């Protein structure tokens, strides 16, 4: 049976390619100009357009889903968006299991850019341990 | 400032049909190529009746919530600062989910840039039988102007 234990770690690295906010806008419907128009981002003092926070969060969740082995096993996700993510940033997600109680795995994920700055804060995720016999 | 009476105001449930193509496009937009999002046979072998949506897929659901109506102000700008998702079960292709948005809280906070309004909106998604599928909470910092 799949076992999880406190202190186990998992990691995912994602590069923010230049068109990522456009792809995410198209799929999610979040066409806020700050995400797709570099000029709007510059006027807001952000140096250009920025990635949707929910895209960053989706990657943090993916990092945990890979660890669980099943995205359908994720039961809870929580985060604060603490810093804008710019194009060409490289994000590193590092998770650690904080508790395992019966059928639930609890973990936190640290999400930082290439300068070591946290782009999400207080990321907490929770998932089901995989039932036996499921691939 | 935001209207304290807005708390509890709820939009009527709006139908969201979870389409296979929309799941695929959402997963592609994330650059996430887990076959459980794309491949029916793979998903069945993994124990699902059909393809699964990525956990944050409810981000693209619609509700009939009009922020101006819900909060009673004209929104000049919004900053999304916090997000929570809770799932009763995975979201699957073919699901018909009714999403309603409720104002869970409004607060006035004082930050470095002066006074700001914070609204917490809670979305609830239920299936056709009324069973809860997911709940999500968004915290928004709202710059608004009150209009007659």
């Amino acid at each position: 049976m799949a076992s999880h234990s406190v202190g186990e770690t998992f990691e995912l690295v994602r590069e923010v390619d230049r068109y990522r906010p456009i792809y995410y806008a198209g799929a999610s419907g979040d066409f806020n100009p700050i995400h797709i128009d570099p000029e709007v981002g510059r006027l807001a003092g952000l140096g250009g357009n920025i990635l949707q926070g929910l895209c960053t969060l989706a990657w943090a969740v993916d990092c945990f889903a890979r660890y669980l082995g099943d995205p359908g096993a994720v039961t809870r996700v929580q985060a604060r968006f603490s810093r804008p993510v710019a194009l060409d940033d490289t994000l590193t997600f590092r998770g650690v299991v904080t508790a395992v109680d019966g059928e639930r795995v609890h973990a936190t994920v640290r999400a930082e850019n290439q300068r070591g700055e946290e782009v999400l804060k207080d990321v907490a995720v929770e998932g089901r341990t995989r039932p036996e016999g499921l691939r | 400032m935001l209207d304290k009476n807005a708390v509890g105001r709820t939009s009527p449930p709006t139908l969201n049909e979870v389409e296979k193509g929309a799941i695929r496009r959402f997963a592609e937009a994330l650059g996430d190529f887990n076959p459980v999002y794309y491949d029916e046979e793979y998903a069945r072998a993994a124990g699902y009746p059909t393809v699964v949506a990525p956990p944050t897929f409810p981000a693209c659901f619609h509700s009939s919530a009009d922020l101006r109506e819900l909060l009673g102000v004209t929104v000049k700008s919004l900053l999304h600062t916090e997000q929570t998702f809770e799932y009763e079960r995975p979201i699957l292709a073919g699901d018909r989910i009714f999403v309603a948005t409720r104002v869970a809280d409004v607060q006035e906070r004082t930050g470095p840039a002066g006074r700001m309004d914070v609204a917490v909106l809670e979305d609830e998604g239920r299936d056709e039988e009324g069973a809860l599928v997911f709940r999500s909470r968004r915290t928004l910092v709202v710059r608004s102007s009150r209009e007659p």
Side-chain angles (χ1 to χ4, degrees):
Chain A
M1 106 156 233
S3 66
H4 302 279
S5 48
V6 173
E8 275 187 302
T9 60
F10 45 94
E11 187 174 316
L12 179 71
V13 176
R14 296 301 304 254
E15 318 240 326
V16 184
D17 53 285
R18 304 196 64 75
Y19 298 107
R20 189 58 53 192
I22 315 280
Y23 302 147
Y24 190 83
S28 70
D30 183 356
F31 283 98
N32 186 330
I34 205 148
H35 299 307
I36 55 175
D37 186 340
E39 189 54 30
V40 171
R42 273 193 288 276
L43 288 172
L46 297 164
N49 52 321
I50 58 169
L51 186 66
Q52 289 85 350
L54 280 167
C55 184
T56 306
L57 180 58
W59 288 342
V61 176
D62 180 35
C63 179
F64 179 55
R66 287 168 191 238
Y67 164 73
L68 289 177
D70 178 6
V74 176
T75 54
R76 189 169 191 282
V77 171
Q78 172 187 328
R80 289 198 292 131
F81 306 109
S82 52
R83 178 178 288 273
V85 171
L87 309 186
D88 299 323
D89 274 0
T90 299
L91 304 181
T92 302
F93 301 89
R94 287 190 191 89
V96 59
V97 176
T98 53
V100 181
D101 53 26
E103 294 178 345
R104 291 291 156 103
V105 185
H106 303 256
T108 57
V109 181
R110 188 179 163 88
E112 59 182 42
N113 62 22
Q114 65 281 9
R115 291 178 296 279
E117 299 160 335
E118 269 193 295
V119 296
L120 299 175
K121 275 201 193 297
D122 305 330
V123 184
V125 287
E126 201 181 293
R128 274 185 292 273
T129 54
R130 280 196 290 171
E132 255 177 286
L134 211 62
R135 179 146 73 87
Chain B
M1 65 170 269
L2 295 181
D3 184 359
K4 291 276 181 202
N5 295 325
V7 176
R9 233 173 256 164
T10 305
S11 71
T14 301
L15 174 62
N16 283 261
E17 298 187 66
V18 180
E19 294 164 2
K20 231 178 279 179
I23 291 177
R24 187 175 61 238
R25 275 194 300 280
F26 190 81
E28 280 171 355
L30 298 173
D32 186 339
F33 300 102
N34 187 328
V36 81
Y37 303 139
Y38 300 86
D39 183 337
E40 291 254 327
E41 275 182 36
Y42 181 95
R44 278 196 288 268
Y48 294 103
T50 181
V51 292
V52 178
T56 62
F57 189 76
C60 65
F61 282 164
H62 296 281
S63 81
S64 62
D66 174 326
L67 287 184
R68 183 182 168 174
E69 273 176 30
L70 277 185
L71 299 174
V73 294
T74 297
V75 174
K76 281 159 62 186
S77 74
L78 275 184
L79 185 63
H80 187 179
T81 56
E82 292 177 42
Q83 178 74 46
T84 304
F85 293 105
E86 287 171 347
Y87 315 94
E88 284 298 312
R89 62 161 176 84
I91 293 166
L92 302 167
D95 274 345
R96 291 164 55 85
I97 299 180
F98 292 84
V99 180
T101 301
R102 172 180 164 270
V103 181
D105 195 16
V106 295
Q107 285 174 21
E108 192 180 298
R109 285 187 202 163
T110 309
R115 208 206 64 224
M116 58 192 187
D117 287 319
V118 178
V120 179
L121 302 181
E122 190 172 281
D123 290 336
E124 204 176 75
R126 292 182 178 273
D127 67 16
E128 287 174 294
E129 280 74 50
L132 184 66
V133 178
F134 77 92
R135 225 182 231 128
S136 71
R137 282 167 82 89
R138 292 171 272 166
T139 303
L140 306 170
V141 173
V142 184
R143 284 188 53 236
S144 62
S145 62
R146 192 179 281 272
E147 299 218 327

